[in-house]
């Protein structure tokens, strides 16, 4: 059979409030034309992020009822430790309340002022935590990553030549290097096993540890299985374990491939790293066997991580994204190809060519999608990345897909909304900023249509 269906059926539903175009027009205006300021219930299809927005399975909910809420050494902690130990092969496992807490404590314990932390691309919270520790967060994406339409299968790779060059010059200033799988900032693009292995080889020669930012490690494992030679017959768990075998430590936001709504972890091999992290964790997050999470969260995570590594689940997840991409390409709507693991990106500069970057073409598309169909997306362009008076390198609109939440008919509706906006693209107008904060302005800016 050609049709790949959702490998689950639904036994609990959550109503969507159906809104009219007139209502949405009013709501958007009241939100100063910034979709971050809308109430979530006014968004029929909410594609703002895939973080913490997934649906848990009946097995996860059942496991939550088994949560052991003992302060120290709970059964739930044991299960969490065993599961993550088996997948990552790391001896020291620490829960944190989300990914950035693991990053913050890693920076606190291992990063000093003046250090350099290379990465394929730092995610914003990772970058912010490294910079807060007065280190430089260095992005070294491979050259293919900049080519929006290149079909290179592993556009998330780190640039090995540049990594080697930086290490040659700045060896003592690098306490560790990172690889983010998949490369979120670079569009959820995958990193190949070969690239991780070669990164490790370079670092090993200079005695520099490798830390994996593992938020979407299961989606990355699926890309390796389907795109990289030699992995077709391996299970996703085997592939994930090989990925972690090259790392000395890892941080993870379990709100992604943990298939839960909150949680994170830090794992490592080195005893001293573990000792320092444990002490910081007790001070700032909680006792090391719960680390800011409830026992029931630890249970849901243990089940979720296993479910994320199920082949049928990843096949369905990737099929959803491919389905969307293919339909949009057929309609000749400009998107970034190939699509990454958790989102489809519209290329706003090509979508509304008459709107220059200073007039926020991404926002024009984002707001039109909301007005037309109650779809909430996010601009990754001049509003998010440009500083006052400057424009961003690219004007993109991200449609991030929550895990196991929307069905194919929601996606068909979404495609229809995008097509309708595409037909009316010549009529869309640009926006200007009327009020903005000094940092992270996209979250709270007030915008006015031109
Ligand atoms: C989400 C994310 C983080 C931060 O995790 P939070 O749970 O949101 O704190 C770090 N790195 C990457 C790649 C992410 O996608």
């Amino acid at each position: 059979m050609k049709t790949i269906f959702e490998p689950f059926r639904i036994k609990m539903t959550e109503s969507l409030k159906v809104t009219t175009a007139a209502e949405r027009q009013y709501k958007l205006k009241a939100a100063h034309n910034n979709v971050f300021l809308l109430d979530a219930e006014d968004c029929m299809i909410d594609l703002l992020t895939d973080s913490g927005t997934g649906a848990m399975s009946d097995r996860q909910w059942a496991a939550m009822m088994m949560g052991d809420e003992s302060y120290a050494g709970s059964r739930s902690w044991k299960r969490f430790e065993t599961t993550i130990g088996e997948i990552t092969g790391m001896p020291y496992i620490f829960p944190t309340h989300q990914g950035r807490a693991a990053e913050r404590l890693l920076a606190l314990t291992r990063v000093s002022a003046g250090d350099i932390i290379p990465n394929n691309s730092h995610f914003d919270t990772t970058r912010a935590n490294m910079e807060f520790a007065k280190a430089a967060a260095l992005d070294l994406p491979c050259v293919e990553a900049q080519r929006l339409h290149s079909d290179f299968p592993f556009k998330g790779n780190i640039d090995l030549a540049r990594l080697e060059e930086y290490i040659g010059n700045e060896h003592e200033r690098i306490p560790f290097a990172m690889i983010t799988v998949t490369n979120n900032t670079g569009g959820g693009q995958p990193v190949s096993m070969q690239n991780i292995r070669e990164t490790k080889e370079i670092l090993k020669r200079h005695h520099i540890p490798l830390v994996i930012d593992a938020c979407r490690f299961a989606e990355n494992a699926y890309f390796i299985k389907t795109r990289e030679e030699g992995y077709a017959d391996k299970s996703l768990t085997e592939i994930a374990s090989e990925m972690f075998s090259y790392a000395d430590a890892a941080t993870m936001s379990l709100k992604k491939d943990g298939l839960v709504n909150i949680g994170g972890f830090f794992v490592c091999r080195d005893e001293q790293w573990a000792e320092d992290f444990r002490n910081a964790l007790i001070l700032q997050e909680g006792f090391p066997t719960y680390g800011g999470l409830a026992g029931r969260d630890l249970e849901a995570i243990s089940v979720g991580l296993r479910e994320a590594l199920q082949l049928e689940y990843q096949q369905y997840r990737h099929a959803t994204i491919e389905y969307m991409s293919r339909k949009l390409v057929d309609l000749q709507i400009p998107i970034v190809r190939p699509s990454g693991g958790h989102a489809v990106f519209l290329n706003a500069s090509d979508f509304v060519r008459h709107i220059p970057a200073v007039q926020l073409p991404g926002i024009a598309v984002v707001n039109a999608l909301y007005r037309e169909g109650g779809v909430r997306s996010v601009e990754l362009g001049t509003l998010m990345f440009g500083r006052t008076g400057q424009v961003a390198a690219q004007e993109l609109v991200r449609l991030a897909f929550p895990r196991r939440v929307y069905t194919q008919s929601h996606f068909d509706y979404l495609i229809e909304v995008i097509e309708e906006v595409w037909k009316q693209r010549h009529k869309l107008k640009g926006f200007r900023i009327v009020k903005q904060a000094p940092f992270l302005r996209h979250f709270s800016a007030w915008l006015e249509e031109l």
Side-chain angles (χ1 to χ4, degrees), residues 120-423:
N120 45 354
S121 300
H122 286 271
F123 180 64
D124 7 6
T125 61
T126 324
R127 167 177 297 282
N129 273 301
M130 299 309 147
E131 290 179 351
F132 190 71
K134 300 198 162 40
L138 178 69
D139 285 348
L140 299 172
C142 64
V143 286
E144 291 85 355
Q146 274 97 12
R147 306 197 181 120
L148 280 192
H149 299 285
S150 145
D151 267 336
F152 186 67
F154 290 103
K155 285 164 105 175
N157 282 355
I158 195 166
D159 187 327
L160 294 165
R162 287 178 65 208
L163 177 67
E164 185 110 58
E165 194 184 306
Y166 268 96
I167 292 176
N169 300 334
E170 305 284 0
H171 174 224
E172 327 74 63
R173 293 173 64 197
I174 305 177
F176 57 84
M178 297 185 78
I179 283 202
T180 305
V181 298
T182 56
N183 187 343
N184 185 6
T185 308
Q189 295 291 333
V191 180
S192 70
M193 192 73 87
Q194 184 184 349
N195 192 250
I196 301 174
R197 194 186 307 122
E198 290 177 1
T199 301
K200 176 64 185 177
E201 281 163 14
I202 293 172
L203 295 173
K204 201 169 170 184
R205 269 187 263 128
H206 300 275
H207 307 287
I208 297 172
L210 173 63
V211 179
I212 291 188
D213 178 340
C215 292
R216 298 180 182 79
F217 78 100
E219 289 171 7
N220 201 76
Y222 182 80
F223 279 119
I224 289 175
K225 183 177 170 76
T226 52
R227 293 183 182 178
E228 191 164 348
E229 214 183 305
Y231 291 93
D233 297 328
K234 294 220 157 83
S235 73
L236 296 180
T237 304
E238 286 169 330
I239 296 171
S241 296
E242 185 182 337
M243 284 160 51
F244 285 113
S245 75
Y246 302 119
D248 299 277
T251 57
M252 178 166 177
S253 168
L254 290 157
K255 300 170 74 170
K256 288 47 173 266
D257 278 350
L259 293 175
V260 290
N261 306 112
I262 197 75
F265 71 58
F266 174 75
V267 295
C268 65
R269 294 187 198 283
D270 183 82
E271 199 178 330
Q272 190 60 50
W273 279 42
E275 179 67 23
D276 296 343
F277 194 91
R278 188 181 298 112
N279 291 332
L281 188 73
I282 293 172
L283 183 69
Q284 299 197 0
E285 287 276 296
F287 192 73
T289 65
Y290 74 85
L293 294 170
R296 55 180 173 271
D297 294 327
L298 300 174
E299 293 283 351
I301 290 162
S302 303
V303 178
L305 283 167
R306 293 285 184 205
E307 290 180 351
L309 288 165
Q310 279 169 6
L311 184 59
E312 312 78 65
Y313 161 70
Q314 288 296 344
Q315 275 169 336
Y316 136 78
R317 171 116 178 115
H318 286 75
T320 307
I321 290 161
E322 268 315 299
Y323 177 78
M324 272 289 301
S325 306
R326 219 165 323 112
K327 294 262 177 166
L328 295 175
V329 167
D330 288 349
L331 292 165
Q332 301 191 342
I333 293 170
I335 63 166
V336 178
R337 288 291 296 156
S339 291
H342 65 285
V344 167
F345 291 73
L346 304 175
N347 184 354
S349 330
D350 286 349
F351 200 110
V352 280
R353 289 190 183 191
H354 60 289
I355 302 178
V358 285
Q359 295 180 10
L360 311 176
I363 293 296
V365 176
V366 166
N367 287 353
L369 293 174
Y370 178 73
R371 279 195 291 233
E372 188 61 37
V375 171
R376 177 154 69 170
S377 55
V378 63
E379 183 246 26
L380 280 81
T382 291
L383 181 61
M384 188 180 278
F385 300 122
R387 276 183 239 121
T388 315
Q390 289 175 5
V391 299
Q394 293 168 357
E395 302 295 334
L396 304 177
V397 170
R398 186 183 74 185
L399 306 160
F401 300 148
R403 296 173 178 78
R404 305 192 290 207
V405 169
Y406 295 114
T407 63
Q408 186 167 340
S409 48
H410 291 115
F411 285 103
D412 285 333
Y413 169 82
L414 172 62
I415 291 161
E416 207 181 321
V417 172
I418 299 171
E419 187 181 6
E420 199 48 46
V421 172
W422 175 244
K423 282 186 197 151

